[in-house]
Amino acid sequence: MIEILNNFFNGLGAVLAIGPIAGIIAGVCVGIFFGAIPGISAIMAIAIILPLTFYVDPVIGITMLLAVYKAGIYGGSISAILINTPGAAASFLTAQDGHALTKAGKAGKALGMALYASVTGEALATLVLIFVAAPISIISLQAGPIEKVFLLIFAFTVVGSMTGESISRGILSCCIGMLFAMVGMSSITGATRFSFGVPELMSGFTFLPLLIGVLVMPEVIDAIKKRKTPHYDLILEKSPNPDDNRVTWKEYRSVFGTMLKSTGIGTFIGALPGLGSSAAAFLAYGEAKRTSRKPETFGKGSLHGIAAAESANNAVCGSSMIPMLTLSIPGDDVTALLMGAFLIHGITPGPTIFYEHTDVIYAIFAGFLITDIFLLIIARAGFSFWTKVASIQRYYIFPCVTVFAIAGAFTTNQDLYDVLILICFTVFGYGMRLIGLNPAAFIIGFILTPLLEQNLDQAVAIVGKDYGMILASPFAWIFTALSAFSVFSAMRMKKKEKKKVAAPSAPERSAS
Amino acid sequence: MNRRKIDVVFSSILIIASLVILSSDKLVEGGVETDLGSMLLPRIVAVFIIIFSAMIGVPSLLNLIRKTPLRGLEQIDTEGFLGIGIYIAILAAYWLALPHLGFLVATPFAMFGVAILLEGRNWPVMAAVSLVIPLVVDYGSSIFLHVFLPPWTLS
């Protein structure tokens, strides 16, 4: 514990310099800006900023990306509250209560509560990350190649079964990602696979253009598809009663218990691969409503509702880093992207990160907490400004996003072939969405396959011809059981969802 | 658009591709001999792709044959698809033009095209944005990132 604190304060010293602070401020501004625009998510902002961080110190680059992530998640609540259009799926519930308050002339109060809940949730989850990640990494350090193979299979199964529209579509997305990762030269044997004599394919698909193509550009395409829908300006109307424009200390205290509970739920959900911030927000909101004295106010302008949804979905930001940093398993698309950023900066996420890059990792943790402070200051100081900025017409935003994406793809290797990869994967990524395949599962399959192949090769080298030895490890059985359990629970969840969807149609049928 | 038809076609393509991976030895070139070989993992993945593609394709095919009514997600809304086609065409033309016209010349046209596609009609501001952003990106990438975006090569 003392060692963790010691490392943390060293990291704090490293991050309290002009470079990292400037990066955090820029990241917070970019994150709020992109997050607040309906139709643009935090992931788009991170992917666009990512190439800019290639050439700076990892502490500056990664803290900047994390600032974009955190601020982007909060930014999603601005459009949710003001025009009932969530910038991110996780802000759906914030939209219900927040917009009800906006209609009652209390937009300032709703925005304030969303901000305080976001910052509280994020800060507490970051503390959990700081104090839990290193001890977990000590345990995971004991895992050898055999255990890692089963751990990775577990990760594929969980992510595939939890993220897709159906289990088969989720796992298929992951498998396709794995297949794309195997294009090019094998790092184990040096053989060239699936290159079909095309020299450019011999080095495989460049990560960044593929990532931007699959995750970011389909959002631009979606905006183009919906280009006929009218544009709404975000307007922050101030009430003559000052108490309607702010959250009082009494109100904050009254919802603090809800925030704590929701942060706990968000932290737990975030630490599990595949569930993400939307699931956390829905679970926390449901729990807050269930235990509330006035459940009827939820959805009609309840501060508890905003606090629950926002603190839970922001708590996911910190805790979703736990499996990535300790086990090399990104739980969702954003952490997959951040894992890519770590790899680009020469830092391989995994248990050894705490020993090989102690300074960097604790500086990043300290940066996480400092981001919360800047998010609080910057967002609170400029509610009116951010609402104006977020009202910029989409025909100014999306051409810029297109150019940033293309320039970002080009800067990776300074090769126009990467721009072609970007365009091809843009079409592919949009196609995936159309047929219900999951881009996050695809990216996770793409990122983790080289790790799987490497560990599988080492595992076989250890057991020799006695392949039965692979199953001798108790971890093999534990992770196999967990994989089976995750598929089983996903099946149950999907069944329940189907029943829920079918339920309202019964009375409708009887009425007709 | 009926997603079941796409499911059937997509699953069929994936199954055929996976069968090729399972049966062909020409997909790998060179490399050293190991216990596992270079194609073990691709072939394991191919088996899973066949299983899960069949799990998607077969029910869709059966539903198509039985003509059961489409459920929510099985109906793809094609409104706005023309715009998507134009956008992809702009990207492809931009990619072809970049090595010849260079970033600073090709980008304003691409940006302006995308802005018009997005129903933008504020011509002076759109033109200004389309001219200023490429300049800023080109300057920023050359000065700060030391990356030189493609230059004009026609003359």
Side-chain angles (χ1 to χ4, degrees):
Chain A
M1 179 67 84
I2 289 171
E3 199 186 333
I4 291 174
L5 283 174
N6 214 3
N7 288 329
F8 175 73
F9 285 113
N10 285 339
L12 194 62
V15 93
L16 286 174
I18 291 173
I21 295 292
I24 288 170
I25 292 172
V28 167
C29 294
V30 170
I32 300 177
F33 173 59
F34 275 96
I37 297 170
I40 295 188
S41 58
I43 195 161
M44 184 185 268
I46 299 170
I48 287 167
I49 290 292
L50 183 57
L52 298 180
T53 67
F54 287 173
Y55 304 89
V56 294
D57 187 74
V59 174
I60 302 174
I62 292 172
T63 46
M64 186 173 165
L65 290 174
L66 293 170
V68 174
Y69 176 27
K70 284 187 163 194
I73 297 282
Y74 163 69
S77 64
I78 296 178
S79 54
I81 289 167
L82 296 180
I83 53 168
N84 201 13
T85 310
S91 305
F92 175 77
L93 294 164
T94 310
Q96 290 191 350
D97 286 299
H99 192 62
L101 282 174
T102 300
K103 283 198 280 191
K106 297 177 182 176
K109 189 185 282 295
L111 286 171
M113 182 48 74
L115 177 64
Y116 298 142
S118 299
V119 171
T120 309
E122 275 173 5
L124 293 174
T126 304
L127 290 175
V128 173
L129 169 71
I130 293 168
F131 290 105
V132 162
I136 291 177
S137 74
I138 295 171
I139 301 167
S140 59
L141 258 182
Q142 290 164 8
I146 298 174
E147 288 80 14
K148 278 182 187 164
V149 167
F150 283 95
L151 176 68
L152 286 165
I153 291 169
F154 167 63
F156 288 133
T157 321
V158 171
V159 170
S161 55
M162 294 291 184
T163 55
E165 185 191 303
S166 66
I167 295 171
S168 48
R169 284 178 206 271
I171 298 182
L172 183 63
S173 313
C174 195
C175 289
I176 296 172
M178 292 174 80
L179 207 59
F180 275 104
M182 287 182 268
V183 172
M185 196 172 282
S186 160
S187 59
I188 312 293
T189 63
T192 313
R193 293 178 296 200
F194 310 120
S195 65
F196 307 104
V198 180
E200 283 84 358
L201 286 179
M202 285 177 74
S203 53
F205 294 109
T206 317
F207 177 65
L208 191 68
L210 179 140
L211 189 100
I212 299 177
V214 171
L215 290 180
V216 177
M217 295 296 274
E219 292 191 28
V220 181
I221 291 189
D222 212 39
I224 285 168
K225 189 172 180 290
K226 293 173 186 161
R227 64 192 184 281
K228 305 272 182 199
T229 51
H231 172 86
Y232 295 103
D233 279 336
L234 276 71
I235 299 163
L236 178 61
E237 282 172 10
K238 289 209 169 172
S239 162
N241 179 6
D243 273 356
D244 288 347
N245 300 320
R246 65 189 177 95
V247 178
T248 60
W249 174 241
K250 196 180 159 194
E251 283 167 335
Y252 180 79
R253 244 184 8 199
S254 72
V255 297
F256 190 71
T258 306
M259 278 187 213
L260 274 185
K261 196 164 46 171
S262 306
T263 301
I265 293 171
T267 308
F268 179 71
I269 296 288
L272 299 175
L275 292 175
S277 49
S278 304
F282 274 90
L283 271 175
Y285 190 88
E287 179 57 22
K289 190 176 177 180
R290 193 183 66 80
T291 53
S292 170
R293 283 181 205 152
K294 295 176 186 168
E296 69 282 357
T297 58
F298 277 67
K300 294 170 189 160
S302 163
L303 284 179
H304 285 266
I306 298 174
E310 282 299 305
S311 52
N313 80 38
N314 284 275
V316 171
C317 296
S319 62
S320 63
M321 305 285 284
I322 296 174
M324 185 191 86
L325 291 175
T326 57
L327 305 168
S328 320
I329 298 173
D332 57 14
D333 44 6
V334 181
T335 40
L337 206 159
L338 290 171
M339 184 166 169
F342 274 87
L343 291 170
I344 288 165
H345 281 280
I347 302 168
T348 308
T352 53
I353 202 171
F354 291 92
Y355 306 96
E356 289 171 358
H357 302 280
T358 315
D359 300 348
V360 176
I361 204 71
Y362 281 95
I364 290 168
F365 285 168
F368 244 65
L369 284 179
I370 291 177
T371 298
D372 291 331
I373 297 167
F374 278 102
L375 174 59
L376 187 65
I377 296 166
I378 293 171
R380 186 70 196 90
F383 277 155
S384 312
F385 174 72
W386 293 117
T387 49
K388 273 184 195 146
V389 165
S391 299
I392 295 175
Q393 294 276 3
R394 58 185 160 227
Y395 52 78
Y396 298 131
I397 301 286
F398 289 105
C400 297
V401 169
T402 304
V403 170
F404 290 145
I406 286 174
F410 180 81
T411 52
T412 319
N413 292 322
Q414 304 193 27
D415 189 352
L416 278 169
Y417 166 68
D418 287 334
V419 178
L420 182 64
I421 290 184
L422 170 81
I423 296 169
C424 293
F425 277 98
T426 299
V427 178
F428 180 76
Y430 189 71
M432 279 181 77
R433 282 168 166 80
L434 276 185
I435 56 171
L437 296 180
N438 188 279
F442 172 88
I443 291 292
I444 290 168
F446 184 84
I447 290 181
L448 294 184
T449 299
L451 282 177
L452 175 69
E453 201 162 19
Q454 193 185 347
N455 283 300
L456 187 64
D457 191 70
Q458 287 173 357
V460 170
I462 290 168
V463 300
K465 295 279 177 201
D466 190 5
Y467 295 124
M469 283 281 287
I470 288 181
L471 294 170
S473 162
F475 281 102
W477 292 101
I478 291 170
F479 284 122
T480 308
L482 283 173
S483 303
F485 175 73
S486 72
V487 174
F488 174 71
S489 54
M491 281 166 74
R492 273 191 58 179
M493 237 165 71
K494 307 270 179 203
K495 236 182 197 176
K496 266 187 189 174
E497 274 171 25
K498 263 188 189 171
K499 266 187 191 170
K500 255 187 196 173
V501 173
S505 59
E508 275 168 28
R509 273 199 303 273
S510 62
S512 63
Chain B
M1 191 193 288
N2 187 342
R3 199 177 82 174
R4 286 173 187 163
K5 290 178 187 170
I6 302 174
D7 279 345
V8 172
V9 174
F10 184 67
S11 303
S12 309
I13 293 170
L14 284 179
I15 290 171
I16 292 166
S18 302
L19 288 173
V20 171
I21 292 171
L22 285 174
S23 56
S24 174
D25 289 327
K26 290 178 183 168
L27 297 169
V28 61
E29 287 170 36
V32 293
E33 285 283 321
T34 61
D35 288 342
L36 294 177
S38 300
M39 286 300 283
L40 178 83
L41 197 57
R43 283 180 177 150
I44 294 173
V45 173
V47 170
F48 281 107
I49 289 180
I50 291 173
I51 294 168
F52 291 108
S53 298
M55 281 172 73
I56 294 167
V58 172
S60 294
L61 183 65
L62 289 176
N63 282 327
L64 269 177
I65 294 166
R66 287 177 197 148
K67 291 182 181 167
T68 47
L70 290 174
R71 277 163 289 175
L73 290 168
E74 289 179 324
Q75 181 77 51
I76 295 174
D77 175 20
T78 51
E79 199 187 321
F81 268 30
L82 179 66
I84 296 173
I86 296 170
Y87 181 67
I88 302 297
I90 291 173
L91 288 182
Y94 179 53
W95 177 72
L96 289 170
L98 261 178
H100 308 292
L101 299 182
F103 182 80
L104 281 178
V105 179
T107 307
F109 288 106
M111 283 185 74
F112 202 74
V114 176
I116 293 171
L117 185 61
L118 283 161
E119 310 275 300
R121 297 294 178 264
N122 195 347
W123 310 108
V125 183
M126 277 158 52
V129 170
S130 304
L131 287 169
V132 170
I133 294 292
L135 280 171
V136 171
V137 172
D138 190 68
Y139 178 80
S141 63
S142 61
I143 298 295
F144 299 111
L145 307 181
H146 306 293
V147 171
F148 296 94
L149 295 165
W152 169 277
T153 56
L154 283 180
S155 55

